[in-house]
Amino acid sequence: MTLYTFFGCLLFAYGPILSIFLLFIAPNAQYVLLTVSSAFFCLIALLISSVIWYFSKTNNYISIVYSIAIQEICRWGFYLMTRKAENGLNSISANPNSPLNKHVFSFVFGYGYALTNASVGYISLLVESIGPGVMMCPSCPQASLYFIYAITTTLFSLLHIGWMMIACEGYSEIPQKKGYLKVIWVILSHYGASFATTLNSSTSINYGCIASIFICLFIILVSLSIIIYSLKSKFKLLH
């Protein structure tokens, strides 16, 4: 594969999260620390999943089931930890009394998850692309596997940010019995998007990679709608 394609896939996969880091995360030391702590929890989840896969040698479908379950458990554990530190986080934030702090913090938490998943999930495939050969996508023979998974990496980066924002709000609303649907959406859509990526390697479904991309885009739009509705309700409280 040529260097032009390599750098194109590199920037396509990591460009959005790199831009978020440079424009939003990096200028604020608090956000950088929260990103690192969130990424650490995600890394633990991926490490546990990798150990289970190494000893069990399960197929892709089974590994998706337990790896997502572990990620969601770690997400919930991370929320419980940050909830205890919520007052301290608010006190050192730029706007200590803002009701939007929870959304901003959950965005940063989601960025840590997105950064870790993108780095672990795509970097090895990208390194292989430097070799002399080209791996074509089985379900879309006209496109290289490197390019398809670059798109998938970008979409999942956005998904993880959205999932964390929805999940954190859902967990905080569970005592009022209002957050269950949001938590259920995060879990089910996480499974749906992950299983959709298996269409990329399917040889029995024509243009499965396109279907996978559209499924992820649909989940992003629904998640974005949930987040926007929640933010609108917060702005109404402000006025």
Side-chain angles (χ1 to χ4, degrees), residues 49 52-64 66:
S49 301
I52 295 175
W53 177 87
Y54 179 80
F55 286 105
S56 62
K57 301 295 183 181
T58 52
N59 60 42
N60 289 339
Y61 298 101
I62 296 177
S63 61
I64 287 174
Y66 62 71

Side-chain angles (χ1 to χ4, degrees), residues 27-44:
N28 191 310
Q30 182 187 24
Y31 295 165
V32 174
L33 293 175
L34 293 177
T35 296
V36 172
S37 60
S38 174
F40 178 73
F41 267 72
C42 183
L43 194 61
I44 291 176

